[in-house]
Amino acid sequence: AQSVTQLGSHVSVSEGALVLLRCNYSSSVPPYLFWYVQYPNQGLQLLLKYTTGATLVKGINGFEAEFKKSETSFHLTKPSAHMSDAAEYFCAVSDQKLVFGTGTRLLVSP
Amino acid sequence: EAGVAQSPRYKIIEKRQSVAFWCNPISGHATLYWYQQILGQGPKLLIQFQNNGVVDDSQLPKDRFSAERLKGVDSTLKIQPAKLEDSAVYLCASSLEVLTSGTYEQYFGPGTRLTVT
């Protein structure tokens, strides 16, 4: 069965600092990988996805993620955090249905 | 384009009572999903519809949960009777279709927060 592991339930950064949210996956077939963001009292919004092709994927709001097969990782990064990035971030893997990680709450301080 | 609509947004009930949630997907989206998101966890798929047929309900507790999607549009999820552990956010999502490549994009509604006391 496919699964994802998100390291760190909470990540704190200062505004302007690098954001790094970690995700490792387990899949018996080439995976499709996703990052979703959830703002308080809202549903999930797709940030970016990896299917095939280029391993560096760019998403909305300045986020990007790199698929590394050798490390079974799909970490999410943003060069400079903004206060509005504070939210819950979920990594997910899919073959025919989405399997989500437990999420990482990003806290951004002024 | 209107997003996925859900109602109610919040619901508080006592254990053993029944409750129903409603979802209106994005127009034209053939596939509809119900997820359960317990506090501190990621969403877990409960049931997936393709038009008005069930594709996957393997994680739906069928002794107390039921769902239907009449006419392949709106959907309702019911819990009867509710237990304390059913306290969660129930998310509805829709997508255009489930492609064999698995690259469908799901659009999520705001969710219904259920508290069972």
Side-chain angles (χ1 to χ4, degrees):
Chain A
Q2 297 186 320
S3 66
V4 291
T5 301
Q6 292 185 244
L7 299 177
S9 59
H10 292 80
V11 170
S12 295
V13 300
S14 299
E15 193 173 21
L18 171 71
V19 175
L20 171 60
L21 304 182
R22 299 178 186 274
C23 173
N24 288 88
Y25 69 90
S26 173
S27 175
S28 57
V29 297
Y32 299 103
L33 296 160
F34 304 78
W35 276 99
Y36 280 84
V37 60
Q38 187 176 33
Y39 298 101
N41 299 315
Q42 295 187 28
L44 280 73
Q45 180 184 7
L46 181 67
L47 274 178
L48 50 81
K49 64 182 178 184
Y50 168 79
T51 54
T52 59
T55 57
L56 182 62
V57 181
K58 295 187 183 298
I60 61 172
N61 302 338
F63 284 93
E64 62 183 35
E66 186 171 10
F67 170 66
K68 292 187 176 180
K69 184 178 179 180
S70 61
E71 298 178 7
T72 61
S73 69
F74 191 57
H75 302 330
L76 181 71
T77 61
K78 182 174 180 178
S80 177
H82 193 273
M83 295 294 290
S84 60
D85 294 327
E88 187 96 21
Y89 291 81
F90 292 94
C91 182
V93 64
S94 165
D95 55 6
Q96 289 296 321
K97 65 181 181 183
L98 284 175
V99 176
F100 288 89
T102 53
T104 297
R105 182 167 298 279
L106 177 65
L107 306 170
V108 183
S109 57
Chain B
E1 177 182 79
V4 176
Q6 290 188 246
S7 67
R9 292 295 312 277
Y10 305 91
K11 189 74 176 179
I12 300 174
I13 62 172
E14 296 181 351
K15 59 183 179 182
R16 291 187 290 274
Q17 286 186 326
S18 63
V19 64
F21 313 128
W22 174 82
C23 173
N24 186 0
I26 293 174
S27 178
H29 280 196
T31 309
L32 184 147
Y33 314 79
W34 282 103
Y35 289 87
Q36 180 191 58
Q37 186 178 16
I38 294 173
L39 185 64
Q41 299 181 19
K44 182 185 79 172
L45 180 68
L46 292 176
I47 188 167
Q48 176 183 336
F49 292 94
Q50 180 81 6
N51 296 308
N52 60 351
V54 175
V55 174
D56 184 346
D57 64 356
S58 58
Q59 297 194 88
L60 186 74
K62 298 180 185 64
D63 58 334
R64 297 185 300 106
F65 285 65
S66 64
E68 60 182 9
R69 190 183 185 197
L70 300 176
K71 300 180 182 179
V73 182
D74 294 5
S75 177
T76 56
L77 176 69
K78 297 179 182 178
I79 307 175
Q80 182 180 10
K83 294 184 175 181
L84 296 177
E85 58 261 36
D86 297 333
S87 293
V89 175
Y90 291 84
L91 295 165
C92 179
S94 68
S95 66
L96 275 171
E97 61 182 308
V98 177
L99 304 175
T100 54
S101 63
T103 58
Y104 51 87
E105 177 173 345
Q106 297 185 25
Y107 296 82
F108 285 80
T112 297
R113 183 177 299 277
L114 173 68
T115 302
V116 182
T117 63

